[in-house]
């Protein structure tokens, strides 16, 4: 299918994730990160199976608090060594940006940028309320907001990197085809096979919808570079790196649904997510 390629009008903060990291370390986006210390570090672990769904999933997220901001990065359950939380508490952000584990580096960068560039209208955010309700109701509400950020016509083929069944459901409602992809493989709620090689699927898709978790597992930059080079829309749904990815809009990223901690699945009350994009 032919899809018109459009580029975001917004000027990105940095041309790549690596450049964004360099700018922060050089003090170009706020106070010297060597002077900013993490007061709290914690992990959030959960397993969920929404009522009426036949399959479930597990989450594990590392979160770091800097002043009033919390930065996060999801990891595969059981992947993060127990001692990491203790290593992060009291450490300065500059040190953690050089940590050997990528999820620690992402969570530290996210905390720093959430502190210096919070989710406000002045920084490009557009808040969107999530209703109170069951985990499934909130999941579906978020999914509809995420899918609305895709600027593609009905019938377009969307590569979904990081399978969330509510997102697939919302894509169906919009008349969009999809290719589910996740490093874990398996099947979707509807028995569709989940691909494991996102890069192999890129040439066959008209848009990409990807999890912020790609920052922590090292797959994000290839997606961003493909989008930048080809003009294919790249929309990120981000609990991981929710303050990082908006800074890359215009450098391959076309829109972001940013969801800082606490995440929608933690309680049944109302919440808020933040939309970013040139068209908003």
């Amino acid at each position: 299918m032919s899809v018109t390629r459009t580029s975001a009008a917004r000027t990105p903060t940095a041309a790549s994730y690596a450049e964004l990291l360099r700018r922060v370390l050089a003090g170009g986006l706020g106070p010297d990160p060597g002077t900013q210390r993490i007061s709290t570090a914690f992990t959030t672990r959960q397993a969920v199976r929404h009522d009426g769904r036949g399959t479930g999933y597990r989450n594990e997220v590392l979160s770091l608090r800097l002043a009033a901001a919390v930065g996060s990065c999801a990891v595969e359950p059981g992947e993060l060594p127990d001692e990491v939380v203790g290593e992060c508490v009291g450490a300065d952000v500059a040190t953690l940006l050089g940590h050997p584990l990528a999820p620690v580096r992402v969570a530290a960068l996210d905390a720093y940028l959430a502190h210096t560039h919070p989710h406000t209208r002045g920084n490009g955010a557009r808040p969107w309320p999530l209703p109170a309700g069951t985990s499934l109701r909130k999941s579906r509400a978020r999914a509809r907001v995420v899918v609305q950020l895709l600027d593609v016509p009905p019938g377009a083929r969307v590569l979904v990197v990081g399978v969330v069944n509510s997102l697939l459901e919302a894509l169906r409602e919009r008349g969009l085809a999809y290719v589910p992809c996740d490093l874990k493989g398996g099947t979707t709620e509807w028995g569709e096979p989940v691909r494991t090689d996102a890069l192999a699927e890129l040439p066959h898709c008209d848009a990409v919808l990807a999890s912020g978790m790609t920052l922590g597992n090292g797959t994000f930059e290839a997606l961003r570079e493909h989008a930048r080079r080809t003009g294919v829309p790249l929309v990120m749904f981000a609990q991981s790196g929710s303050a990082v990815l908006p800074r890359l809009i215009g450098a391959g990223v076309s829109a972001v649904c940013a969801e800082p901690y606490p995440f929608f699945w933690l309680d049944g009350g109302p919440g808020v997510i933040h939309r970013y994009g040139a068209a908003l």
Side-chain angles (χ1 to χ4, degrees):
M1 175 174 184
S2 174
V3 175
T4 301
R5 310 302 188 196
T6 59
S7 59
R10 174 173 170 172
T11 301
T13 303
S16 67
Y17 177 80
E19 183 184 320
L20 184 62
L21 183 60
R22 287 194 295 270
R23 290 197 63 190
V24 167
L25 284 168
L29 295 177
D32 178 357
T35 67
Q36 307 297 299
R37 294 191 176 275
I38 298 299
S39 63
T40 308
F42 59 98
T43 58
T44 306
R45 298 179 182 179
Q46 69 127 6
V48 62
R49 179 174 291 183
H50 299 304
D51 189 28
R53 289 269 171 86
T55 59
Y57 58 89
R58 294 173 60 203
N59 281 323
E60 184 169 345
V61 184
L62 171 67
S63 297
L64 306 178
R65 182 165 182 170
L66 174 63
V70 176
S72 298
C73 185
V75 299
E76 292 297 334
E79 178 182 277
L80 203 66
D82 289 339
E83 61 269 20
V84 163
V85 168
E87 292 174 1
C88 293
V89 172
D92 65 82
V93 171
T95 296
L96 295 181
L97 291 177
H99 195 278
L101 295 179
V104 174
R105 299 194 298 270
V106 171
L109 182 61
D110 194 35
Y112 180 87
L113 289 172
H115 176 54
T116 62
H117 294 70
H119 298 293
T120 63
R121 286 186 174 271
N123 288 323
R126 297 295 181 267
W128 187 275
L130 287 183
T134 66
S135 60
L136 182 56
R137 184 188 185 205
K138 295 186 76 173
S139 178
R140 283 173 166 163
R142 183 190 72 145
R144 286 191 290 270
V145 174
V146 172
V147 169
Q148 286 171 8
L149 294 174
L150 282 167
D151 185 17
V152 291
R157 185 179 176 91
V158 180
L159 176 62
V160 181
V161 184
V163 171
V164 177
N165 286 312
S166 291
L167 288 177
L168 303 184
E169 188 178 58
L171 289 168
R172 289 180 173 194
E173 291 174 356
R174 267 196 60 184
L176 297 171
Y178 58 78
V179 178
C181 189
D182 198 293
L183 292 175
K184 294 188 296 291
T187 59
T188 70
E189 175 72 18
W190 303 276
E192 302 152 322
V194 174
R195 317 291 174 84
T196 57
D197 187 350
L199 300 186
E201 303 298 331
L202 282 173
H204 314 298
C205 295
D206 303 305
V208 180
L209 184 60
S211 166
M213 191 175 177
T214 55
L215 285 168
N217 66 25
T219 58
F220 167 72
E221 272 297 286
L223 300 175
R224 183 199 62 78
E225 181 56 28
H226 172 82
R228 185 201 63 77
R229 187 178 67 253
T230 64
V232 165
L234 171 60
V235 172
M236 304 296 301
F237 54 100
Q239 294 177 342
S240 299
S242 68
V244 174
L245 291 162
R247 311 277 69 83
L248 296 171
I249 290 177
V253 177
S254 53
V256 176
C257 178
E259 186 181 359
Y261 194 93
F263 312 127
F264 79 88
W265 37 263
L266 284 167
D267 69 70
V272 63
I273 53 182
H274 305 275
R275 301 170 301 151
Y276 291 83
L280 295 177

